[in-house]
Amino acid sequence: MMSLLVISLPLLPVVVMMTIRFRSSLLALCCRVCAGVLKLSHRKVCVSSTHAYVFSNCTHGQAQSVLLTFDLYSTTHATLSIGPQKGELLDEIVKREAPLMVLELGMHCGYASIRILRLLPPSGKLLAVELDPQTADRGEEIILVAGFKNPQFQVLTCSSAEAISSLSSHLGDSRLDLVLMDHDPEQYLPDLLALHRGKLLSAFCVVLINRALTSGAKDLLEYVTARPLSYSIGRQLDGMMELHCHMAVHSEGS
Ligand SMILES: C[S@@+](CC[C@H](N)C(=O)[O-])C[C@H]1O[C@@H](n2cnc3c(N)ncnc32)[C@H](O)[C@@H]1O
Ligand SMILES: *[C@@H]1O[C@H](CO)[C@@H](O)[C@H](O)[C@H]1NC(C)=O
């Protein structure tokens, strides 16, 4: 112990100097680490408390009751779900499109998934992607509680990019008629391009983008507004934006 102290004593001025020299970057690093830990635990808390509330307060087997319980929870707690107003716009689009194959990127606790599932045509199917394994488990349980079963829906626990690269094996001969992007806005454009490259979208696919006006989604907005022959913007509500893809025109034009 003593010898350790003797050896390290000459190093002390160096350590002090370094600390002073780099104090602002050190401070910034500490802040980032703390913020990251807080954000992570907040997300976990939020997911498990949403799950517990919905699970114990809804009528099992009734999708409408599950949705109402989510809405009740969100009147007193912050949640990441799209919520009832945007949920109604989503409902209208699902009813109008009657999609046979839907992809949801960013499933979270399954709120939007349940809204979609309850309105799908009998042979319709939902693939829901969620990056966080704990969230994916909780969300899947809530979807089962709402009364939906596999293979009507399938949860893919991975990043959107990984899901898209393995999507053709899940789709078989079909293509996506509706995509809900509600994961990471920075991923919206790379994911849209990957969906095109993989020829995974049906000819008149609708892509519904949540948080389309955030800075992360800027690249996507610029890309689609610069290509009016391939994309047209449909309905919008509170940052949620409906995008019509005209694939036939797109492939002729490019
Ligand atoms: C805003 S929440 C989704 C809310 C959900 N659509 C609803 O209405 O209930 C975003 C979710 O996307 C997930 N996520 C973030 N980045 C992702 C990525 N790159 N791939 C897949 N999921 C991601 C997060 O873990 C989070 O659960
Ligand atoms: C169920 O709802 C009641 C009334 O809103 C609430 O006090 C309770 O905490 C909820 N249960 C769970 C497990 O969150």
Side-chain angles (χ1 to χ4, degrees):
M1 187 64 203
M2 207 49 208
S3 60
L4 203 70
L5 213 69
V6 171
I7 297 170
S8 57
L9 214 56
L11 284 175
L12 199 65
V14 179
V15 172
V16 171
M17 282 265 295
M18 297 285 274
T19 312
I20 292 170
R21 170 91 175 69
F22 295 110
R23 65 182 183 280
S24 57
S25 11
L26 258 172
L27 200 68
L29 183 71
C30 288
C31 284
R32 268 211 301 279
V33 170
C34 292
V37 168
L38 273 175
K39 205 170 133 194
L40 209 70
S41 61
H42 172 75
R43 199 183 61 195
K44 292 279 187 305
V45 167
C46 161
V47 169
S48 52
S49 105
T50 312
H51 172 272
Y53 187 99
V54 174
F55 190 89
S56 56
N57 279 310
C58 73
T59 307
H60 286 215
Q62 289 185 17
Q64 204 54 33
S65 159
V66 174
L67 292 176
L68 286 173
T69 312
F70 263 109
D71 292 342
L72 200 62
Y73 177 84
S74 68
T75 58
T76 50
H77 300 75
T79 71
L80 295 176
S81 307
I82 54 163
Q85 277 89 31
K86 290 180 188 177
E88 268 172 38
L89 177 57
L90 172 64
D91 287 358
E92 284 171 33
I93 291 168
V94 175
K95 283 187 213 158
R96 189 194 66 209
E97 297 295 319
L100 293 180
M101 194 58 89
V102 183
L103 175 69
E104 180 186 12
L105 300 176
M107 174 186 82
H108 194 56
C109 286
Y111 178 80
S113 320
I114 294 169
R115 288 201 88 108
I116 294 168
L117 279 164
R118 81 198 205 292
L119 297 172
L120 284 187
S123 57
K125 196 175 160 177
L126 170 74
L127 298 168
V129 180
E130 173 53 52
L131 179 64
D132 180 63
Q134 270 190 6
T135 307
D137 280 352
R138 298 273 165 82
E140 177 159 22
E141 189 173 26
I142 295 293
I143 298 174
L144 291 166
V145 161
F148 301 104
K149 297 182 181 66
N150 294 306
Q152 193 177 10
F153 76 95
Q154 196 173 343
V155 176
L156 309 177
T157 307
C158 57
S159 72
S160 52
E162 287 168 316
I164 291 166
S165 67
S166 70
L167 210 59
S168 55
S169 66
H170 297 283
L171 291 180
D173 287 334
S174 39
R175 298 280 176 275
L176 297 168
D177 304 307
L178 176 66
V179 178
L180 171 59
M181 290 195 173
D182 191 15
H183 54 316
D184 173 6
E186 307 250 348
Q187 277 299 120
Y188 289 177
L189 181 58
D191 287 347
L192 180 69
L193 297 179
L195 287 166
H196 282 310
R197 267 198 312 275
K199 302 192 174 15
L200 302 168
L201 304 179
S202 67
F204 294 96
C205 182
V206 170
V207 180
L208 193 57
I209 299 152
N210 196 21
R211 294 172 286 152
L213 304 178
T214 57
S215 58
K218 211 170 130 254
D219 286 353
L220 175 89
L221 270 193
E222 278 174 12
Y223 183 87
V224 299
T225 47
R227 289 165 180 77
L229 289 180
S230 307
Y231 303 98
S232 57
I233 292 171
R235 299 188 53 190
Q236 292 192 57
L237 177 77
D238 199 12
M240 185 149 110
M241 185 180 284
E242 179 190 4
L243 196 65
H244 296 269
C245 307
H246 312 296
M247 292 305 294
V249 181
H250 180 78
S251 47
E252 274 164 28
S254 60

